[in-house]
Amino acid sequence: MPTTQTTKINQLLDPTRVRIGLDESSKTAVIDALVDVLAGHEAISSLDDVRTAVFAREEKMSTGVGKGLGLPHAKAAAASDTVAAFATTEEPVDFGAVDDVPVRILLLLVGPEEHKSQHVKILGRISRLVSRASLRDRLLGAKTPETAIEALRDGEDALRS
């Protein structure tokens, strides 16, 4: 995967890295399930190290960024490239979000320290995408990983930049 500023979220995802309707009721369980989605990814050398980094980042400040979006993320030496996992949840999960809205849409992003700039751009991009109610509705209505990825792709194509 190219590590350029034009990397799109849908380019980071394939159906094996997407979960629809996670049936977890706590923030910890949801994050654990998302990290588990990265199992076997060629760019991840230690799932335990990634999990530790993601939870350490979450302790600093909630990644519930508003409008039902959770963006757990971390920079980790165990990641040789930027990788992502996406999920929707069956029920809203309290993430301690800035707007107090429970989370149902999640993007986990993990990458090496040297991809910090790309990491920030991707987090900004997903925040802009999910600020659109129509895209949130499509993502929450997606019945398959493929339809969720398609919704993200369409949303990104509509963004200017």
Side-chain angles (χ1 to χ4, degrees), residues 41-146:
H41 196 295
E42 63 187 19
I44 302 297
S45 62
S46 168
L47 213 53
D48 288 340
D49 290 352
V50 166
R51 193 178 319 277
T52 298
V54 170
F55 278 108
R57 166 60 188 85
E58 196 66 35
E59 283 180 20
K60 292 179 184 174
M61 187 166 110
S62 172
T63 56
V65 297
K67 298 188 178 178
L69 175 65
L71 292 176
H73 62 277
K75 291 178 276 319
S80 63
D81 202 352
T82 299
V83 299
F86 178 86
T88 59
T89 63
E90 194 65 38
E91 297 295 328
V93 177
D94 181 7
F95 240 69
V98 295
D99 62 357
D100 291 323
V101 173
V103 165
R104 287 203 55 215
I105 300 169
L106 296 116
L107 180 79
L108 169 69
L109 192 66
V110 180
E113 181 67 40
E114 61 268 21
H115 291 188
K116 185 176 183 177
S117 173
Q118 177 195 35
H119 198 94
V120 169
K121 288 175 183 167
I122 292 168
L123 292 173
R125 181 179 279 273
I126 188 71
S127 292
R128 287 195 336 247
L129 279 171
V130 176
S131 71
R132 298 175 179 187
S134 60
L135 182 63
R136 287 194 308 274
D137 291 344
R138 272 189 77 188
L139 291 170
L140 291 172
K143 301 291 185 212
T144 66
E146 292 82 1

